[in-house]
Amino acid sequence: MFEFINTLLIGITSGAIYSLMALALVLVWRSTRVVNFAQAGQALASTYFGFEAMKHIDNFWIALLIAMIGGAILAAFIEMVFMRLLLKHTSSGAIASVAPIIATLGLLEVIRALITLKWGGADVLIKAPLSNTGFSIGTHTLVFSPMKLAIIAVVVFLLSILSILFQKTNIGLSLRASAFSPELARLAGIRVDLVRTFGWALSGATGAVAGMLLVVNGNGSLSPASIEFSLLLISGFIAAVVGGLDSLLGTVIGGMILGLSTAFVLMYISDSLFFIAPFIILLLALIIRPQGILGKKGGRRA
Amino acid sequence: MTLIVNNLNVHHGAIAAISDVTFTVPQGELTAVIGSNGAGKSTLLRALSGLKGATSGNATWKEHNLLKGSAEIHVRHGISHVSEGMSVIPELTVEENLDLGAIWRRNKSEAQSSKREVFALFPRLEERRKQSTATLSGGERQMLAIGRALMSKPELLLLDEPSLGLAPLLVKQIFEAISNISKQFGLSVVLVEQNAMSALQIAHSGVVLNLGRVVAAGKAQELISDPAVRAAYLGY
């Protein structure tokens, strides 16, 4: 029972981080129909921005804010000077569906190389603001720690803010209208170009939070070749697909399914299955519910 | 305040979709643009609303050059375009679709009063304001599309085949609504229709397009009684 609760809490924590990454990918997908593999690189770069900030002000939460702003600016920059041009020149023909994928893959490597150039290839450390020693219940010590609790709180807070932004504000309505029907959005007077850039910026900020939280959820180390960030991209992508590539709620459900199942596989089945568990979930999802948990059958491709 | 279209040419790649089209719409009048499928009717509206670039010619509205600038700018000059085939976003609620039409307006209390006007015109939309647009019938969606256009406080309404896919009784209702709206708000309307007879009956004037060229134009009543137009477009 004790072990079960422990696993559950660990799964929820990683699920929360995956949800954020999934949301970052969904925001870009919805605004420009691009599967953004560079998202892992952007999150990595943003986390290095946070690391740099912590050198000057020893406060993780302010560094998190700076990482978000840096991530937003980086994403907006990529959209404006790179993707806009690319999508314009490759909008038709066989290349149209492949070009953005190859381009973002290339961008991922470019960002990695630039990070190595600036910060070197060795591990750097980001100090967690809260204890990573688990809570104790009687004589038992949980793996679930104050830091993990704070991670869940940050994700819940961020998701609530984004949910209000999407559902209750004119900015949210512009984002949704531009995603579902760019032409009608334009006819309603929305500057779809600007809204797209904003969607990317929002995605960059969300990815930055995922990156910063990922590092302090682990052992605090960060490197350009980080396997954790590659896994974060894959997990986020799978969570987004499982959730239906469409809604905020879908990405949270997708993230939780992924976080919980990998945690339970790790605890109860085998260490060696840890890396393939996400892919098994992806295959099952694509075979059983290709439209995603919340996606509508036969509906518009999200 | 008149819509003046002069020698307008629009191309799809190398193919001419609209050739030397000239017509005017006086303020508060309704002009029907009729013609068969592929005559270039939708392209004409898309060029006027800024969705499609023109090759040459002029189109002005209130001294505003319609061939410069794009759709998101034109709507701020009082031009609302209801594009072909239920111009609504099914993923949004009824009320969100309406709010979308007024999203660029700074004065929110004016936007609220526009919404009350739309609800007065189409009470059905008010009953269903919180519902998903996907649950609406074809006729209700067309009402919503027109309602969304009215939320932008238009002075010139560009309507593309509002009768498309509707049952005959609903077609009649929609045309009546369009005629009433034009009178009530003093709107100029360009109504593109395959349903030529119904469109001409509520119009002041008409333009007949064939393969992108104007083949007949004049007062609606004259076109209805013109033997050539009757034979080719009115079916008798």
Side-chain angles (χ1 to χ4, degrees):
Chain A
M1 187 59 198
F2 174 77
E3 202 176 61
F4 179 82
I5 292 171
N6 217 351
T7 313
L8 195 71
L9 292 171
I10 292 170
I12 290 174
T13 313
S14 11
I17 297 174
Y18 298 155
S19 300
L20 283 188
M21 194 61 180
L23 184 62
L25 290 163
V26 165
L27 279 168
V28 162
W29 170 253
R30 286 206 343 183
S31 68
T32 39
R33 291 293 182 266
V34 170
V35 179
N36 184 18
F37 286 105
Q39 199 86 56
Q42 290 168 241
L44 193 62
S46 312
T47 309
Y48 269 96
F49 297 155
F51 161 73
E52 192 65 32
M54 278 189 81
K55 280 195 206 162
H56 304 285
I57 24 157
D58 190 24
N59 182 321
F60 176 82
W61 304 110
I62 294 174
L64 179 66
L65 209 62
I66 290 171
M68 286 173 79
I69 295 167
I73 293 172
L74 177 63
F77 176 79
I78 291 173
E79 197 278 333
M80 278 196 294
V81 305
F82 188 70
M83 295 314 289
R84 206 176 277 189
L85 209 64
L86 178 88
L87 293 176
K88 200 165 143 192
H89 289 295
T90 60
S91 61
S92 61
I95 195 76
S97 53
V98 204
I101 294 177
I102 304 295
T104 58
L105 268 175
L107 207 56
L108 172 60
E109 291 314 313
V110 170
I111 295 173
R112 277 223 168 103
L114 288 176
I115 291 171
T116 314
L117 214 63
K118 170 83 176 78
W119 285 285
D123 280 19
V124 297
L125 278 176
I126 293 182
K127 200 169 140 280
L130 293 165
S131 164
N132 250 324
T133 315
F135 293 107
S136 303
I137 304 174
T139 52
H140 292 294
T141 303
L142 287 171
V143 180
F144 192 70
S145 61
M147 188 64 243
K148 284 189 163 40
L149 184 64
I151 288 172
I152 294 174
V154 168
V155 174
V156 169
F157 176 71
L158 192 64
L159 290 178
S160 313
I161 299 237
L162 286 173
S163 168
I164 292 168
L165 179 80
F166 290 142
Q167 297 301 327
K168 305 281 179 212
T169 68
N170 271 345
I171 295 172
L173 186 57
S174 305
L175 275 166
R176 285 184 292 148
S178 305
F180 292 127
S181 173
E183 186 171 297
L184 276 185
R186 289 182 59 201
L187 288 177
I190 294 170
R191 290 162 210 247
V192 174
D193 279 0
L194 282 180
V195 171
R196 278 189 178 144
T197 309
F198 181 73
W200 273 71
L202 215 52
S203 152
T206 309
V209 179
M212 290 289 281
L213 294 184
L214 181 77
V215 171
V216 291
N217 189 40
N219 58 10
S221 71
L222 175 68
S223 80
S226 164
I227 187 90
E228 282 87 0
F229 273 81
S230 304
L231 272 176
L232 176 67
L233 175 73
I234 293 164
S235 307
F237 179 66
I238 295 174
V241 170
V242 170
L245 276 174
D246 198 23
S247 67
L248 190 91
L249 187 61
T251 58
V252 174
I253 294 174
M256 285 302 157
I257 288 177
L258 209 66
L260 287 171
S261 49
T262 45
F264 277 96
V265 164
L266 194 62
M267 181 59 99
Y268 289 102
I269 302 177
S270 158
D271 285 11
S272 54
L273 275 180
F274 177 70
F275 287 103
I276 51 169
F279 293 100
I280 293 171
I281 293 168
L282 176 65
L283 287 177
L284 285 177
L286 288 177
I287 292 166
I288 300 166
R289 270 190 86 82
Q291 72 274 32
I293 297 279
L294 294 181
K296 284 181 215 74
K297 215 166 198 169
R300 178 196 300 253
R301 280 165 296 127
Chain B
M1 273 197 289
T2 321
L3 170 69
I4 303 167
V5 179
N6 201 2
N7 282 320
L8 184 69
N9 284 282
V10 183
H11 286 77
H12 289 308
I15 301 155
I18 292 287
S19 307
D20 295 325
V21 166
T22 298
F23 69 97
T24 57
V25 182
Q27 197 207 340
E29 292 208 354
L30 197 157
T31 296
V33 176
I34 61 175
S36 52
N37 220 342
K41 306 187 297 296
S42 294
T43 308
L44 174 64
L45 286 199
R46 294 174 69 82
L48 295 181
S49 69
L51 286 177
K52 168 99 188 134
T55 323
S56 64
N58 298 303
T60 54
W61 162 254
K62 295 199 296 186
E63 277 101 61
H64 174 61
N65 182 356
L66 291 184
L67 305 187
K68 263 195 180 161
S70 51
E72 50 270 46
I73 307 299
H74 289 349
V75 71
R76 291 168 167 78
H77 288 92
I79 298 163
S80 273
H81 182 183
V82 178
S83 55
E84 197 177 0
M86 315 293 174
S87 185
V88 294
I89 301 183
E91 288 86 351
L92 304 180
T93 67
V94 170
E95 193 162 20
E96 283 172 341
N97 265 291
L98 290 177
D99 288 340
L100 190 60
I103 204 162
W104 59 272
R105 291 170 70 176
R106 290 276 164 266
N107 190 329
K108 293 301 163 197
S109 63
E110 270 183 36
Q112 281 302 320
S113 77
S114 290
K115 203 192 288 183
R116 279 192 295 276
E117 285 171 0
V118 171
F119 283 152
L121 276 169
F122 304 117
R124 194 78 68 82
L125 296 181
E126 183 162 25
E127 290 163 25
R128 315 206 157 184
R129 62 200 287 178
K130 298 288 174 204
Q131 259 173 261
S132 155
T133 302
T135 65
L136 296 189
S137 71
E140 288 164 346
R141 284 192 195 199
Q142 201 53 259
M143 289 174 198
L144 181 57
I146 294 172
R148 191 265 299 153
L150 292 176
M151 288 293 288
S152 302
K153 202 181 171 191
E155 291 163 280
L156 172 63
L157 201 53
L158 307 172
L159 297 174
D160 198 345
E161 302 250 12
S163 76
L164 193 73
L166 297 186
L169 187 68
L170 276 172
V171 172
K172 194 161 171 278
Q173 283 178 14
I174 285 285
F175 278 110
E176 272 171 17
I178 292 167
S179 176
N180 289 338
I181 288 164
S182 168
K183 284 179 196 136
Q184 184 183 335
F185 299 101
L187 298 185
S188 312
V189 180
V190 180
L191 172 63
V192 154
E193 261 300 333
Q194 277 197 68
N195 207 328
M197 194 62 191
S198 310
L200 285 175
Q201 275 171 347
I202 61 164
H204 296 92
S205 57
V207 175
V208 183
L209 282 188
N210 187 32
L211 298 174
R213 288 182 182 278
V214 177
V215 290
K219 293 263 171 263
Q221 283 311 315
E222 291 168 16
L223 288 174
I224 291 175
S225 48
D226 182 330
V229 172
R230 289 181 79 110
Y233 300 99
L234 303 179
Y236 55 94

